[in-house]
Amino acid sequence: MRFLSMVRINERAGQKPNAQLMEDMGKLMAEMTAAGSLLDTAGLQPTTEGKRMRLSRGRQTVIDGPFTEAKEVVAGYAMLQAASMDEALELTRRFLAVHGEEWEIECEVRQVMEHCAEAA
């Protein structure tokens, strides 16, 4: 089964990954990729560089970032391959642990609806 782990941070906190975190994250990603449990992952640009598209009553609008009303934003994602939600949560725990105590991060983990992916 595939699971999407959405990494949420408080963008206003201004935290940036240091060289040690990037090295540790690289090792973890290489290990998880080799094991077949990490299918894809990436960080996202800040909301100042983003846009939102909204559909309401048949009308589409574009809203420029930053999105000040959002306390936490999606800063990245990981597409995981796991046999169960418990296994996906364990993989996510490993990702969170690499960050240490100085980071405030939340990951939302949700199973991908495979039948929707097959129809595409």
mmCIF file of all heavy atoms in Angstrom, residues 19-32 38 41 94-96 98-99 105:
data_model
loop_
_atom_site.group_PDB
_atom_site.id
_atom_site.type_symbol
_atom_site.label_atom_id
_atom_site.label_comp_id
_atom_site.label_asym_id
_atom_site.label_seq_id
_atom_site.Cartn_x
_atom_site.Cartn_y
_atom_site.Cartn_z
ATOM 1 N N ALA A 19 23.754 21.559 7.891
ATOM 2 C CA ALA A 19 24.487 20.554 7.108
ATOM 3 C C ALA A 19 24.354 19.158 7.726
ATOM 4 O O ALA A 19 24.208 18.168 7.000
ATOM 5 C CB ALA A 19 25.954 20.957 6.999
ATOM 6 N N GLN A 20 24.379 19.071 9.054
ATOM 7 C CA GLN A 20 24.262 17.767 9.710
ATOM 8 C C GLN A 20 22.901 17.139 9.455
ATOM 9 O O GLN A 20 22.798 15.946 9.165
ATOM 10 C CB GLN A 20 24.513 17.888 11.220
ATOM 11 C CG GLN A 20 24.527 16.549 11.942
ATOM 12 C CD GLN A 20 25.646 15.651 11.479
ATOM 13 O OE1 GLN A 20 26.800 16.053 11.500
ATOM 14 N NE2 GLN A 20 25.333 14.437 11.069
ATOM 15 N N LEU A 21 21.847 17.934 9.555
ATOM 16 C CA LEU A 21 20.503 17.419 9.280
ATOM 17 C C LEU A 21 20.407 16.942 7.836
ATOM 18 O O LEU A 21 19.847 15.876 7.564
ATOM 19 C CB LEU A 21 19.438 18.473 9.575
ATOM 20 C CG LEU A 21 18.004 18.085 9.231
ATOM 21 C CD1 LEU A 21 17.576 16.801 9.919
ATOM 22 C CD2 LEU A 21 17.048 19.216 9.549
ATOM 23 N N MET A 22 20.942 17.711 6.903
ATOM 24 C CA MET A 22 20.880 17.313 5.492
ATOM 25 C C MET A 22 21.634 16.007 5.261
ATOM 26 O O MET A 22 21.172 15.137 4.525
ATOM 27 C CB MET A 22 21.436 18.431 4.600
ATOM 28 C CG MET A 22 20.596 19.699 4.631
ATOM 29 S SD MET A 22 18.854 19.434 4.187
ATOM 30 C CE MET A 22 19.010 19.107 2.459
ATOM 31 N N GLU A 23 22.779 15.846 5.919
ATOM 32 C CA GLU A 23 23.548 14.605 5.786
ATOM 33 C C GLU A 23 22.778 13.424 6.372
ATOM 34 O O GLU A 23 22.666 12.362 5.752
ATOM 35 C CB GLU A 23 24.900 14.748 6.489
ATOM 36 C CG GLU A 23 25.780 13.520 6.366
ATOM 37 C CD GLU A 23 27.116 13.671 7.076
ATOM 38 O OE1 GLU A 23 27.599 14.805 7.217
ATOM 39 O OE2 GLU A 23 27.668 12.632 7.501
ATOM 40 N N ASP A 24 22.241 13.603 7.577
ATOM 41 C CA ASP A 24 21.476 12.537 8.229
ATOM 42 C C ASP A 24 20.231 12.182 7.424
ATOM 43 O O ASP A 24 19.880 11.005 7.284
ATOM 44 C CB ASP A 24 21.089 12.946 9.648
ATOM 45 C CG ASP A 24 22.288 13.080 10.573
ATOM 46 O OD1 ASP A 24 23.395 12.617 10.210
ATOM 47 O OD2 ASP A 24 22.116 13.671 11.662
ATOM 48 N N MET A 25 19.564 13.208 6.893
ATOM 49 C CA MET A 25 18.361 12.971 6.087
ATOM 50 C C MET A 25 18.722 12.213 4.805
ATOM 51 O O MET A 25 18.006 11.305 4.382
ATOM 52 C CB MET A 25 17.688 14.305 5.761
ATOM 53 C CG MET A 25 16.346 14.172 5.088
ATOM 54 S SD MET A 25 15.102 13.342 6.093
ATOM 55 C CE MET A 25 14.901 14.526 7.379
ATOM 56 N N GLY A 26 19.847 12.588 4.192
ATOM 57 C CA GLY A 26 20.300 11.898 2.987
ATOM 58 C C GLY A 26 20.548 10.419 3.232
ATOM 59 O O GLY A 26 20.162 9.566 2.423
ATOM 60 N N LYS A 27 21.178 10.098 4.364
ATOM 61 C CA LYS A 27 21.425 8.697 4.715
ATOM 62 C C LYS A 27 20.121 7.943 4.920
ATOM 63 O O LYS A 27 19.960 6.812 4.448
ATOM 64 C CB LYS A 27 22.282 8.613 5.982
ATOM 65 C CG LYS A 27 23.718 9.031 5.785
ATOM 66 C CD LYS A 27 24.475 8.999 7.107
ATOM 67 C CE LYS A 27 25.881 9.534 6.949
ATOM 68 N NZ LYS A 27 26.581 9.609 8.247
ATOM 69 N N LEU A 28 19.188 8.555 5.648
ATOM 70 C CA LEU A 28 17.902 7.906 5.897
ATOM 71 C C LEU A 28 17.145 7.685 4.587
ATOM 72 O O LEU A 28 16.600 6.599 4.353
ATOM 73 C CB LEU A 28 17.051 8.740 6.858
ATOM 74 C CG LEU A 28 15.666 8.191 7.170
ATOM 75 C CD1 LEU A 28 15.741 6.832 7.859
ATOM 76 C CD2 LEU A 28 14.873 9.183 8.015
ATOM 77 N N MET A 29 17.128 8.686 3.722
ATOM 78 C CA MET A 29 16.413 8.551 2.450
ATOM 79 C C MET A 29 17.053 7.468 1.582
ATOM 80 O O MET A 29 16.347 6.681 0.944
ATOM 81 C CB MET A 29 16.361 9.885 1.713
ATOM 82 C CG MET A 29 15.444 10.889 2.394
ATOM 83 S SD MET A 29 15.132 12.417 1.477
ATOM 84 C CE MET A 29 16.759 13.015 1.140
ATOM 85 N N ALA A 30 18.377 7.389 1.555
ATOM 86 C CA ALA A 30 19.054 6.349 0.782
ATOM 87 C C ALA A 30 18.703 4.965 1.315
ATOM 88 O O ALA A 30 18.417 4.041 0.534
ATOM 89 C CB ALA A 30 20.570 6.575 0.815
ATOM 90 N N GLU A 31 18.701 4.834 2.636
ATOM 91 C CA GLU A 31 18.358 3.549 3.254
ATOM 92 C C GLU A 31 16.914 3.148 2.949
ATOM 93 O O GLU A 31 16.637 2.011 2.567
ATOM 94 C CB GLU A 31 18.567 3.645 4.767
ATOM 95 C CG GLU A 31 18.188 2.394 5.527
ATOM 96 C CD GLU A 31 18.211 2.581 7.033
ATOM 97 O OE1 GLU A 31 19.027 3.389 7.536
ATOM 98 O OE2 GLU A 31 17.395 1.924 7.714
ATOM 99 N N MET A 32 15.987 4.091 3.114
ATOM 100 C CA MET A 32 14.571 3.784 2.882
ATOM 101 C C MET A 32 14.283 3.527 1.404
ATOM 102 O O MET A 32 13.450 2.685 1.069
ATOM 103 C CB MET A 32 13.703 4.918 3.433
ATOM 104 C CG MET A 32 13.724 4.996 4.958
ATOM 105 S SD MET A 32 12.876 6.442 5.644
ATOM 106 C CE MET A 32 11.196 6.134 5.144
ATOM 107 N N LEU A 38 10.612 4.057 0.539
ATOM 108 C CA LEU A 38 10.490 5.462 0.140
ATOM 109 C C LEU A 38 10.426 5.524 -1.377
ATOM 110 O O LEU A 38 11.394 5.213 -2.069
ATOM 111 C CB LEU A 38 11.676 6.284 0.658
ATOM 112 C CG LEU A 38 11.674 7.767 0.293
ATOM 113 C CD1 LEU A 38 10.459 8.479 0.897
ATOM 114 C CD2 LEU A 38 12.965 8.436 0.751
ATOM 115 N N THR A 41 10.140 11.729 -2.542
ATOM 116 C CA THR A 41 10.113 12.726 -1.482
ATOM 117 C C THR A 41 10.664 14.039 -2.015
ATOM 118 O O THR A 41 11.462 14.043 -2.949
ATOM 119 C CB THR A 41 10.928 12.272 -0.246
ATOM 120 O OG1 THR A 41 10.708 13.193 0.823
ATOM 121 C CG2 THR A 41 12.406 12.162 -0.538
ATOM 122 N N ARG A 94 10.800 7.627 12.080
ATOM 123 C CA ARG A 94 12.238 7.696 11.786
ATOM 124 C C ARG A 94 12.585 9.041 11.147
ATOM 125 O O ARG A 94 13.610 9.639 11.466
ATOM 126 C CB ARG A 94 12.639 6.543 10.871
ATOM 127 C CG ARG A 94 12.506 5.178 11.564
ATOM 128 C CD ARG A 94 12.926 4.045 10.677
ATOM 129 N NE ARG A 94 14.355 4.172 10.360
ATOM 130 C CZ ARG A 94 14.920 3.574 9.312
ATOM 131 N NH1 ARG A 94 14.214 2.835 8.491
ATOM 132 N NH2 ARG A 94 16.203 3.732 9.093
ATOM 133 N N PHE A 95 11.742 9.512 10.245
ATOM 134 C CA PHE A 95 11.957 10.813 9.613
ATOM 135 C C PHE A 95 11.951 11.926 10.662
ATOM 136 O O PHE A 95 12.825 12.778 10.681
ATOM 137 C CB PHE A 95 10.868 11.062 8.558
ATOM 138 C CG PHE A 95 10.810 12.482 8.081
ATOM 139 C CD1 PHE A 95 11.702 12.953 7.131
ATOM 140 C CD2 PHE A 95 9.867 13.355 8.593
ATOM 141 C CE1 PHE A 95 11.660 14.273 6.708
ATOM 142 C CE2 PHE A 95 9.815 14.675 8.169
ATOM 143 C CZ PHE A 95 10.716 15.128 7.220
ATOM 144 N N LEU A 96 10.971 11.904 11.549
ATOM 145 C CA LEU A 96 10.877 12.935 12.589
ATOM 146 C C LEU A 96 12.074 12.878 13.531
ATOM 147 O O LEU A 96 12.614 13.917 13.917
ATOM 148 C CB LEU A 96 9.575 12.784 13.372
ATOM 149 C CG LEU A 96 8.290 13.137 12.616
ATOM 150 C CD1 LEU A 96 7.069 12.753 13.436
ATOM 151 C CD2 LEU A 96 8.263 14.600 12.253
ATOM 152 N N VAL A 98 15.137 12.124 13.046
ATOM 153 C CA VAL A 98 16.359 12.685 12.462
ATOM 154 C C VAL A 98 16.473 14.177 12.764
ATOM 155 O O VAL A 98 17.571 14.714 12.882
ATOM 156 C CB VAL A 98 16.381 12.433 10.932
ATOM 157 C CG1 VAL A 98 17.450 13.245 10.238
ATOM 158 C CG2 VAL A 98 16.596 10.964 10.657
ATOM 159 N N HIS A 99 15.351 14.853 12.939
ATOM 160 C CA HIS A 99 15.349 16.308 13.146
ATOM 161 C C HIS A 99 15.794 16.734 14.538
ATOM 162 O O HIS A 99 16.125 17.896 14.749
ATOM 163 C CB HIS A 99 13.951 16.874 12.840
ATOM 164 C CG HIS A 99 13.644 16.864 11.389
ATOM 165 N ND1 HIS A 99 13.232 15.725 10.735
ATOM 166 C CD2 HIS A 99 13.716 17.845 10.458
ATOM 167 C CE1 HIS A 99 13.052 16.014 9.462
ATOM 168 N NE2 HIS A 99 13.346 17.281 9.265
ATOM 169 N N ILE A 105 7.722 19.854 14.090
ATOM 170 C CA ILE A 105 7.223 19.332 12.816
ATOM 171 C C ILE A 105 6.031 18.436 13.092
ATOM 172 O O ILE A 105 5.988 17.733 14.102
ATOM 173 C CB ILE A 105 8.289 18.483 12.094
ATOM 174 C CG1 ILE A 105 9.579 19.256 11.912
ATOM 175 C CG2 ILE A 105 7.780 17.994 10.753
ATOM 176 C CD1 ILE A 105 10.707 18.422 11.376
#
